Amino acid sequence: QVQLVESGGGSVQVGGSLRLSCAASEYLGSRWCLSWFRQAVGKAREGLATIDFDGRRTYRDAVKGRFIISQDRSKNLLYLQMNSLEPEDTAMYYCGLSRGYARRPLSVTEYDYWGQGIQVTVSS
């Protein structure tokens, strides 16, 4: 069973940047979708950015222009570059993997595997 491990979280001031990484433990197969989600205290998990086997990217409106998803296929690594961070970005961040084509890539129900999550805190 594939394992996903996030890293790169932490605390940052308003306007700062962080880059999250997610390492997958094995080859993903020929069709897949990788994603970044977050969950703030008391709120539902929400999709932020996704990338699939064909290189298609999807972003949540709230992070378009600020967050960039990318990957290094040779190393099974997924990244999320987060810029212009705001206090509202404070949350646990998770990477997710869907084995196959994700019809609704920003929907939590599409994903079969999740990392353990990593905290991002943005302070003013």
Side-chain angles (χ1 to χ4, degrees):
Q1 178 165 320
V2 66
Q3 294 188 349
L4 305 172
V5 179
E6 301 96 339
S7 60
S11 297
V12 66
Q13 291 192 324
V14 169
S17 297
L18 282 174
R19 189 177 80 157
L20 304 182
S21 300
C22 174
S25 61
E26 63 185 52
Y27 173 64
L28 300 181
S30 59
R31 293 167 68 88
W32 46 264
C33 186
L34 285 165
S35 65
W36 287 101
F37 279 68
R38 70 185 176 194
Q39 188 166 14
V41 173
K43 294 189 176 182
R45 192 170 295 192
E46 61 182 15
L48 302 175
T50 76
I51 185 168
D52 73 6
F53 60 94
D54 251 356
R56 287 178 290 246
R57 290 170 171 81
T58 305
Y59 291 96
R60 187 178 195 86
D61 286 348
V63 305
K64 280 181 183 176
R66 297 193 299 127
F67 291 8
I68 301 170
I69 191 169
S70 62
Q71 64 169 153
D72 183 335
R73 294 196 185 197
S74 66
K75 298 179 181 177
N76 276 354
L77 287 170
L78 177 71
Y79 302 105
L80 185 68
Q81 178 67 42
M82 304 187 295
N83 302 318
S84 303
L85 285 163
E86 305 164 351
E88 294 74 22
D89 296 315
T90 295
M92 286 288 286
Y93 283 68
Y94 300 87
C95 62
L97 168 65
S98 170
R99 293 274 203 189
Y101 177 72
R103 292 181 179 275
R104 298 180 300 149
L106 291 177
S107 173
V108 68
T109 59
E110 292 282 354
Y111 296 89
D112 310 299
Y113 303 95
W114 296 96
Q116 81 285 356
I118 194 160
Q119 180 68 36
V120 170
T121 302
V122 184
S123 56
S124 56

